[in-house]
Amino acid sequence: MDNASTGLDYHDRPERDVALAAAEQVGDAAQPLPLVARLANTMFLRRSAVLLLLAVLWEGYAEYADNELMFPSLVDTLRALWDVTVTGEILSRVWTSVRVLLIGYSVGLGVAALLTFMAVSTRFGADVLSTLTSMFNPLPALATLPLALLWFGLGLPSLVFVITQSVVWTISLNTLTGFQSVSETLRMAGQNFGLRGVGYVTRLLVPAAFPLILTGLKLGWAFAWRTLIGAELIFGVTSRSGGLGWFIFENRTQLETPRVFAGLLVVILIGLAVETLIFRTIENRTVRKWGMQR
Amino acid sequence: MKADAPILDAREVTLQYKTRDSLVTATHRVSFEVMPGERTILLGPSGCGKSTLLKAIAGFIRPAEGQILLHGKPVTRPGPDRMMVFQEFDQLLPWKTVRENISFPLLINGVGRREADDRALAYIEKVNLTKFRDAYTHTLSGGMKQRVAIARALAMEPGILLMDEPFAALDALTRQKMQAELLELWASIRCAMVFVTHSIDEAILIGSRIVVLSPHPGRVRAELNCGRFGFDNQGSAEFGALRRRIQTMLFGDAFVDAGEDHG
C-alpha cells in the first residue's frame, strides 16, 4: 500500500461489483395497507365517530338534567325538527334565509371582483383597496345594521347591505394577497407567453392565486351566514316571511326550546353541507388536484 | 435580411436596477452578437449581471443605455418570439397538465386547438415524457419539470431560445443527463440560443461561443469559440486548457490550481 503520494492514510478494502437481477424479481415495491388501517384513513368514518360520541354525551346530559325547557334531549330536538319539516315550515324559513344570503353573497362577490381588478390594474386602485380593507375588515358587518335600517328601512335591502359588507372585504383581501404571492417566475413566464391586461389576470393570476381566493370565498361564506342569522335575530322579519334566525328567536319567546335547538341544528347542518358538499368538492377538483394545497 | 445578419445584437448595453437605497449597475456597455444557429453562453460569477442581461433580452428590463436588437428591431417588451426557460421549477402552471402547459402559449398566440395539441404531443415525445403527458406538474421530478419547460419553449418555435441557468437547481447526475439531452434536442432544431450559467464546464459543453463576463459591474472580458467541444472530448487536454484559460480570466492565477468545476 502506498500512502505516501496523497499524504492521507487509507487502506484498500476489497471492491464489490454486483450484477443485479431484474427489479420485478425482487417483489412488489408497493403493497396495499391492511383494511383497518385504510378505514382509519377515511375522514368520513373518523368524523362520524366524533359525531356519535357528541350525540351520546348530549343525550346523557339531557337525561341527567331532566329539564326540557332549558336543555331538551337529542330525541326531543329531532322530533321537533321532524315536526317543523313535515309541516314545511322550516323549509320555507331556510329558503328565505338562503335566498337573502345568495343575493348578498353574489353582490359582495361582484364588488370584490371589481375592487381587486382595479387593484391589480393601477397603483391607485391597490392603495384604495388596501386602505378600505384595513379599515372595514376589523369592523363586524352587523355593526352597520342600525345604519342600514336607517337608510333602507326594514327589509331585504338592509340585509343585503350587511351581508355584502361581511363578504366584500374578506374576499378582496384574500384575493389581493393571493395575487401578490404569485411568484415572480410565474409572472414572467406569463408575460413571456404574451399575456397582457385582462387575459393576464384571468388566465394567469386568478388560477395561480386560486388557493387563497378559495379561502376568501369560504371565509366570506361563513361570515355571511353568521351575519345573516345575527341580523335576523335582531330585527327578524323581511317583508312577510322570516328566516331561520327569526324562527329561532320566535320559538325562544314562545319557550319552544326543542324547536330552538332544531333551528340551531339546521343552521349548523346548512353550514356543514356548504362546506363539505360545495367547497370541498371545488377544492378536490382544483387546488388539491393541482398539488397547490394538501 | 442577409443570411449572416445577427439574430440578436446587444449594443453597448448598460443595465441598472434600483434597490431600496441605491442604484446598482448590473452591466456596463456590454456588446455581443448572436448569429443564427449559435449557442451563445453568458458565463460569469455571481454579480456579473448575466441573468439581468438575459431578462433585458427577454424584455423584462429596459436598458439604461444602449440597445438590444432582435432581428434588427429594438426589444421593448416580453414576447413569445423569445421563449425563456427559467431556473425555478415553479415556472410551470400547476393547474395545467404537462400537455396543457405546452399548448398554452400556443393557444394564447392564436394557434388552433388541434394544431397546438399536436405540436405539444410532438415536443413531449422529443423530451421523452409521453408517459406523463396528462400528469399535473406537481407529480413530476425537478428534471422532468425542466424538460416540460424546455418543450414548452421549443414548441413555440421561437426565433431565439433564452435559458437562465435551467439546470442549476438539479442534482449533479440529472444535470449531466439534461445537458446531453439538450444538445441532442438542439441538433434536431438548430435554433439560436442564449444560455446563462456560472459553470465553466457547462458553458464549454453546451455552447458554441462563450461570452465571458467579469463582475461588479458586468463587462465583457472575452468571447471564445467552443463549438468543437462536447461530452466525447470532455477529458481532453484541449478542453482542460480552455477551462483553465477561462478560470484565469475570471479569478486570476490564484484559482487555477483549485481545479475542477463540477458543471
Side-chain angles (χ1 to χ4, degrees):
Chain A
M1 243 160 289
D2 180 18
N3 294 356
S5 64
T6 60
L8 297 171
D9 285 336
Y10 67 89
H11 176 82
D12 272 341
R13 296 178 58 220
E15 295 184 347
R16 253 156 62 101
D17 187 346
V18 185
L20 289 180
E24 300 85 64
Q25 290 169 19
V26 180
D28 282 341
Q31 287 170 346
L33 289 172
L35 184 65
V36 181
R38 270 183 289 157
L39 285 181
N41 277 337
T42 323
M43 191 167 70
F44 175 74
L45 284 179
R46 295 205 315 265
R47 281 216 175 169
S48 304
V50 174
L51 280 180
L52 195 68
L53 182 71
L54 281 177
V56 169
L57 284 176
W58 181 353
E59 198 61 30
Y61 180 75
E63 196 74 16
Y64 165 78
D66 194 23
N67 185 343
E68 204 200 61
L69 206 58
M70 293 302 242
F71 198 91
S73 71
L74 176 59
V75 176
D76 289 338
T77 304
L78 290 178
R79 194 176 294 137
L81 183 60
W82 174 253
D83 288 344
V84 290
T85 309
V86 286
T87 59
E89 190 188 352
I90 199 86
L91 285 179
S92 77
R93 298 305 183 96
V94 167
W95 173 238
T96 307
S97 290
V98 168
R99 196 176 67 98
V100 177
L101 191 72
L102 287 178
I103 297 172
Y105 193 71
S106 321
V107 173
L109 204 61
V111 176
L114 203 68
L115 283 174
T116 38
F117 187 75
M118 272 164 49
V120 288
S121 319
T122 63
R123 190 157 169 186
F124 178 69
D127 290 343
V128 169
L129 182 58
S130 55
T131 312
L132 286 179
T133 43
S134 48
M135 267 171 66
F136 290 119
N137 206 31
L139 180 72
L142 260 187
T144 61
L145 185 60
L147 206 56
L149 291 176
L150 182 68
W151 289 343
F152 307 113
L154 279 175
L156 188 67
S158 292
L159 283 177
V160 170
F161 178 78
V162 285
I163 293 172
T164 305
Q165 279 276 321
S166 70
V167 170
V168 166
W169 310 116
T170 321
I171 297 184
S172 313
L173 188 67
N174 274 280
T175 308
L176 191 63
T177 314
F179 286 172
Q180 283 162 349
S181 56
V182 173
S183 77
E184 196 56 37
T185 317
L186 211 51
R187 286 165 189 275
M188 287 198 286
Q191 289 165 14
N192 189 206
F193 303 161
L195 281 175
R196 257 180 281 279
V198 180
Y200 178 67
V201 177
T202 55
R203 300 177 81 172
L204 191 98
L205 287 185
V206 169
F210 202 65
L212 269 167
I213 294 177
L214 199 57
T215 307
L217 291 177
K218 267 160 77 175
L219 281 174
W221 173 266
F223 284 164
W225 189 225
R226 279 173 219 189
T227 306
L228 173 66
I229 301 293
E232 284 181 352
L233 280 173
I234 294 173
F235 81 100
V237 194
T238 61
S239 58
R240 275 158 291 146
S241 58
L244 258 179
W246 180 242
F247 174 85
I248 293 167
F249 185 76
E250 214 175 30
N251 281 300
R252 199 217 58 121
T253 50
Q254 293 163 9
L255 292 180
E256 290 273 7
T257 318
R259 285 182 166 214
V260 174
F261 270 61
L264 291 173
L265 205 58
V266 172
V267 173
I268 294 175
L269 286 177
I270 291 176
L272 268 181
V274 171
E275 164 76 35
T276 53
L277 295 182
I278 299 178
F279 284 114
R280 190 151 285 266
T281 312
I282 297 178
E283 260 175 28
N284 286 339
R285 292 193 177 177
T286 57
V287 289
R288 275 171 212 272
K289 190 166 88 177
W290 304 336
M292 295 168 91
Q293 196 180 326
R294 283 172 180 274
Chain B
M1 200 183 298
K2 282 184 295 175
D4 57 352
I7 290 197
L8 184 79
D9 188 358
R11 290 184 187 164
E12 304 276 305
V13 177
T14 299
L15 297 170
Q16 293 176 322
Y17 59 89
K18 283 182 207 131
T19 63
R20 217 180 161 74
D21 41 30
S22 61
L23 188 67
V24 181
T25 301
T27 67
H28 181 71
R29 298 198 176 152
V30 167
S31 301
F32 65 92
E33 292 178 345
V34 178
M35 305 305 280
E38 221 170 42
R39 304 184 304 277
T40 300
I41 309 284
L42 301 180
L43 172 70
S46 43
C48 74
K50 55 191 187 298
S51 281
T52 316
L53 198 53
L54 196 70
K55 288 197 178 98
I57 298 170
F60 295 113
I61 302 169
R62 290 273 183 87
E65 214 181 79
Q67 53 181 347
I68 298 170
L69 303 174
L70 185 77
H71 299 295
K73 293 191 199 87
V75 167
T76 53
R77 60 183 187 188
D81 52 347
R82 290 146 286 155
M83 286 298 282
M84 182 138 170
V85 177
F86 299 87
Q87 176 186 340
E88 294 84 4
F89 298 150
D90 66 354
Q91 64 189 295
L92 301 182
L93 315 178
W95 59 93
K96 293 189 179 294
T97 61
V98 167
R99 184 178 179 162
E100 290 165 349
N101 256 287
I102 298 172
S103 58
F104 184 57
L106 294 165
L107 293 171
I108 290 173
N109 290 286
V111 176
R113 187 160 283 281
R114 185 84 171 266
E115 198 199 328
D117 203 45
D118 287 349
R119 260 208 252 174
L121 287 178
Y123 279 91
I124 287 171
E125 194 166 342
K126 272 186 197 284
V127 295
N128 302 320
L129 284 176
T130 305
K131 246 172 83 181
F132 297 91
R133 63 186 178 195
D134 293 316
Y136 283 92
T137 56
H138 70 104
T139 59
L140 305 180
S141 69
M144 290 176 180
K145 283 180 187 167
Q146 293 310 79
R147 281 197 209 130
V148 176
I150 292 170
R152 179 173 75 180
L154 291 177
M156 276 301 291
E157 288 161 11
I160 187 164
L161 179 65
L162 308 178
M163 304 187 96
D164 188 7
E165 304 194 43
F167 308 142
L170 299 173
D171 65 89
L173 292 175
T174 311
R175 190 182 316 154
Q176 208 176 2
K177 206 170 151 215
M178 294 286 296
Q179 288 165 344
E181 280 182 18
L182 177 67
L183 283 178
E184 243 173 72
L185 205 56
W186 181 86
S188 70
I189 295 162
R190 300 189 169 270
C191 62
M193 180 161 108
V194 181
F195 188 109
V196 165
T197 183
H198 57 242
S199 155
I200 298 175
D201 273 37
E202 186 167 75
I204 303 174
L205 281 171
I206 299 283
S208 61
R209 191 166 172 85
I210 303 178
V211 178
V212 182
L213 297 164
S214 70
H216 303 301
R219 281 152 300 166
V220 175
R221 173 72 179 74
E223 282 191 50
L224 308 167
N225 287 320
C226 60
R228 60 193 181 279
F229 297 111
F231 278 98
D232 42 349
N233 53 11
Q234 198 181 2
S236 70
E238 222 193 329
F239 192 108
L242 181 58
R243 179 199 291 138
R244 271 193 298 280
R245 193 173 152 209
I246 297 173
Q247 256 166 10
T248 315
M249 281 176 185
L250 293 176
F251 305 106
D253 291 325
F255 202 78
V256 173
D257 290 335
E260 296 293 279
D261 178 293
H262 296 283

